Amino acid sequence: MADVSVFPSQRELGAALARLVVEAATEAVASSGRFTLGLSGGSLVALLARELPPALREAPGADPSRWLVAFCDERLVPLEHPESTGGAYRSQVFSQLPPPGPQFLFVSTGLGPAEAAKDYEEQLRRAFPDQEVPQFDLLVLGVGPDGHTCSLFPGHALLQEQESLIGFLRDSPKPPPLRVTMTLPLLNSSRSVLFAAAGSEKAPVVQRILREDPDLSLPAARVRPRAGKPRWILERGAGLGLRLRRGSAPIGGN
C-alpha cells in the first residue's frame, strides 16, 4: 500500500504539506545546491500560502533562492487572471518571501495551446540540460473527484502520450478548456511525488486509487515516480473509508 497519512483538519494537512516541501528542499539544496519543485494549483495554493512561508522562515537550509519552481499544469489565461496557477502562486505564496526568491518557469499563456506546450517543454529542457527527461526533486499534486490530476482527465487521449513531456488541451472537461499539462512520462520521471487532498467528495476516488489493485482508468492512479509509489497526505474527509496499515497514522495527528 502507498504511504498514507490522514489529518483531522485542512490546517493540519497544510502544515504537513509545507513541512514535507521544506524537508525535501533542505535535503536537495544540501546535496546538489538546487531544489526542483513542480506545483499543481487548485486548493493546494491556499494550503501552501498559509503554511509554507512561516515554515521556510524556520528552515534557513531550505533557501528558496536555490529553488526552481515549475507548474504541473496551467490554464491559458493571463497570470493576473484568478484561474492562473502560476499567477496564484506568485501573488499568494512566493510574494510573502524576501528576495531573492525562486526561479520560475511560467507557461507562455499568450500563445496558442500547441505553441505554449512546445515552448514550456523547451524551457524545461533548458532548465535540466543534463537529463534526457527532467527529474524533479518533488512534484506536489492534487486529485479531483473524477480522479484527474494536473490536466490529465479520465479517458483523454493525453493519457496515452509517450513522447512529449508537455501536452495541451483544447477540450478540458473542466473549464477553462485551453490548458497545458505535464504528461505521465514527465510526472513519472520525478524523484518523488506527494499527493494532497481534502474533502469527503474525494473519498470514493481516493479509495479506488489506493486499493491494492488501483483503478488505472483514473489518471492519478497512473502516477508512479522513480523512487516508487507516491506519498499521500489527506484531510480526514478525503481519507474516509480507507483501511490503513499499522504505522500509517498521521504526522502529528490521529
Side-chain angles (χ1 to χ4, degrees):
M1 183 178 177
D3 185 350
V4 182
S5 299
V6 181
F7 296 87
S9 69
Q10 287 199 35
R11 179 170 289 277
E12 287 161 292
L13 174 68
L17 174 58
R19 185 164 61 248
L20 290 168
V21 171
V22 168
E23 288 174 358
T26 302
E27 180 180 347
V29 169
S31 62
S32 68
R34 183 173 85 153
F35 175 51
T36 54
L37 173 66
L39 293 171
S40 290
S43 59
L44 296 176
V45 180
L47 289 176
L48 287 170
R50 184 174 58 238
E51 303 293 346
L52 184 59
L56 283 170
R57 286 193 286 271
E58 297 177 5
D63 193 355
S65 70
R66 294 182 177 269
W67 293 19
L68 173 72
V69 177
F71 303 100
C72 299
D73 67 326
E74 183 59 280
R75 294 87 174 236
L76 293 189
V77 296
L79 282 173
E80 297 75 19
H81 193 283
E83 293 280 1
S84 169
T85 295
Y89 274 107
R90 184 179 67 174
S91 64
Q92 298 177 38
V93 181
F94 293 104
S95 64
Q96 299 185 56
L97 304 181
Q103 175 189 353
F104 294 100
L105 298 182
F106 288 111
V107 174
S108 298
T109 57
L111 300 175
E115 294 80 8
K118 181 175 183 293
D119 176 78
Y120 197 46
E121 181 163 335
E122 290 173 351
Q123 289 188 56
L124 282 168
R125 292 192 181 279
R126 289 194 298 270
F128 294 82
D130 300 325
Q131 298 175 1
E132 182 177 352
V133 178
Q135 296 171 1
F136 281 86
D137 293 311
L138 176 65
L139 298 180
V140 177
L141 305 181
V143 62
D146 61 352
H148 85 268
T149 191
C150 302
S151 286
L152 299 174
F153 293 91
H156 198 279
L158 276 179
L159 292 178
Q160 310 308 318
E161 179 60 56
Q162 296 297 319
E163 301 297 329
S164 297
L165 304 180
I166 302 294
F168 64 91
L169 300 86
R170 302 181 189 275
D171 57 351
S172 169
K174 183 178 180 181
L178 304 182
R179 297 178 177 226
V180 163
T181 184
M182 293 183 179
T183 62
L184 287 171
L186 179 55
L187 296 176
N188 288 336
S189 76
S190 62
R191 294 186 174 90
S192 181
V193 170
L194 175 63
F195 276 97
S200 58
E201 72 279 3
K202 296 182 180 179
V205 79
V206 168
Q207 291 178 44
R208 290 166 62 192
I209 293 168
L210 293 179
R211 67 193 189 191
E212 288 189 12
D213 56 334
D215 183 348
L216 296 180
S217 70
L218 303 173
R222 299 192 186 192
V223 177
R224 290 290 186 270
R226 296 177 68 230
K229 294 181 178 179
R231 183 169 188 174
W232 285 75
I233 58 172
L234 306 169
E235 173 268 334
R236 188 190 302 276
L240 287 173
L242 286 181
R243 295 182 178 180
L244 301 183
R245 68 177 185 273
R246 188 179 299 274
S248 295
I251 308 167
N254 58 16

